[in-house]
Amino acid sequence: MRKTRWMTIKFMLAAAVFCILFQSAVPHTFAQELPDPYKNKDMTELRKVQQEGLDKINALRKDMGLSEVRLNEQLSRSAQSHSNYIELNKIGYVCHREDEGHEGYTAKWGYDRNKLFGYSNPTSEGVTYGKISSVTEGIDNLFTSPYHRLSFIRPDLSEVGVGFTLNGSTVIEFGYPSYNSTLSDSQIYPYDNQRNVQPYWQDIELPDPLISYKLPYMSYVGYPITINTGNSATMDFKSAKITNTNGQDVPYYIADRTTNPGYGNNFVFLLPKTPLEMNTSYKVEFKATYQSGGVEKTLDKSWTFTTGSQIVPQKKLEYQSRKASEWAIPELAMADNKGLVPKAVTFNNAITREQFSTVMTKLYETLTGKTDLETADNPFTDTKNSDVLKAYKLGIVEGTSSEKFSPMNPVTREQIAVMLKRTLSAAGRDLKTTSRTFTDFSDDALISQWAKEAIASLRAADVVQGDEKNFFNPVQSTTVEQASIIAYRTLSSVK
C-alpha cells in the first residue's frame, strides 16, 4: 500500500467500488449510541448544500440522458455523519473507514453506517478529503475520477445522500434497488459531441487506475475516457484509437479488469498519456466484447468530444511564476502544447532574435512535419545556435550584417510579422484569409514599406491586433508571451 503517497495529499479520493466488499457477513462493531449528524448544524444552510449536491448530480446525469435521482434522508444522515467524522479526526488516507474509539464513530464501513441509519438497499460511497470550497467542487472531483464516475452514471441509481463539511470532505452515498445493474447496453464518457471537456486529470484516485504503470505521484494525464456496461457483465478490451483534429494518434494508458484485477469486470478506461490540447476535437474508436446474461455481445463505437480551455493548475502556477499576464495564460498554454514557447524565460521580457528563431523553427516543423532540418554554414561570429542556423538556411531570418546576427537584440513587432510570413512561405502554407495589401492601424504611416504586406496578411487573419487606440507600434519590442501567442495564432489560422 502506498501510504507514503497518501500522507501528503491535499485531498484524497477513495473508490466507491470498495463498497462491494462491505456487503459481506463479517461481524462489525457499531457505536452503542448513534450520533446525531445534524447536531449544532445550521440546517437551513445544510439543506441548501444537500440540494446543491443533488442538483449537480442530476445535471450530470441529464447530460447523459439518464433519469433523475432523489435525496434520501437516511443516506444523507449517514453521509453527513461520516463527513463529520473525517473533519473531527482529520482522517484522509483511510477516508472510507471509521475506527472505534474515535470521536464521531458510527461503524467501520459505509454499508454498515447506511444500515444503522435505516437504509437497507445496496449502496456505494464516494469521498473527497480535504478543504473543498463547495459540495459541487467535491462532486466534480469525484466525477472526473474514472472509478468514482461509474457510481454517478449507473442507470439504476435511484437515490443519494449528501454530506459536506467545509474543512473536511464531501461524502456521497449512492443507493440502488439491487446490486446488479439493469444496464444491458454500454455507456461512454465523455459522451458523443460533448463540449468543454476538461483536457487534463490528476491521478490521485484510490484505487489508482494507473497503478500498473508506476507513474510519478500525482501525475497529470489526459481526461479519462470511460466505457462501461452493467456491473454484472464482463468486458474484454479488443482495440481503441484516439485521434485529434489533424488525425494524429493520441497515446494512452489502458485500465481494465486485466490491469486492475479486483475492482470490477465491466469497464475499460482510456487515459491519454499527456493532457489533451485545449479547444480541440478528438475522435475515439473503440472495440470490445462483453458477456451479459450468458450472451456475448460486440461493442464497436466511434464518437467525438471537444475539450475546453481549462489549464493544468501546475502549469498555470508555472506561468504565473514566470510573470505571465493573466489574459495571456490560456493561449500560452495552447502555444506551449505546440512547442512555441521558449523554455525557462520570463514572459514579460522582450523576446530576442535568437529566441524567436527557435519559435519559428518549431513553427516550421509543425507546419511541415519535418524535424530533421539542416543547418546553414555559419556566416556569423556571434552565435552558434542551431535554430538560428536552421532558420537562416530556410530564409526566415537574416543577419544584422554579413557577419553579425545580434542574437540578444530584441525583435520588433514588424520584424516578427515578416518572419512569420517567411515561415509560412518556406512551409508552402498560407493563412485562411483573402490577400490584403493595406493595414488599417492608426499608425499605419510608421510601418516600414517592407513589412506592410506581411502585417496586412496577419491582420486580415486576426493574428495581430492593435492596442486600445488601434496602434500597431511597429518598432516596439515584443514580449515573449506576445510573440508565442502570435506564433500560435498563425499556426491556428493556416489553410
Side-chain angles (χ1 to χ4, degrees), residues 363 367 420 424 431 458 463 485-494:
L363 177 59
L367 288 168
L420 284 166
L424 290 171
L431 296 171
L458 296 174
V463 172
I485 288 170
I486 290 170
Y488 174 75
R489 289 177 181 172
T490 299
L491 178 63
S492 301
S493 299
V494 295

Side-chain angles (χ1 to χ4, degrees), residues 71-127:
L71 272 177
N72 178 279
E73 178 62 14
Q74 296 161 324
L75 290 178
S76 288
R77 292 177 70 85
S78 177
Q80 189 60 50
S81 177
H82 189 49
S83 185
N84 295 343
Y85 174 89
I86 292 172
E87 182 179 43
L88 289 168
N89 296 282
K90 302 298 184 286
I91 301 298
Y93 61 89
V94 287
C95 55
H96 279 297
R97 193 182 77 204
E98 293 184 9
D99 292 321
E100 191 174 5
H102 286 69
E103 186 177 2
Y105 173 77
T106 304
K108 187 171 185 178
W109 299 115
Y111 180 72
D112 294 319
R113 290 191 293 270
N114 294 333
K115 286 183 67 175
L116 277 178
F117 280 99
Y119 193 85
S120 57
N121 283 355
T123 59
S124 63
E125 179 179 79
V127 179

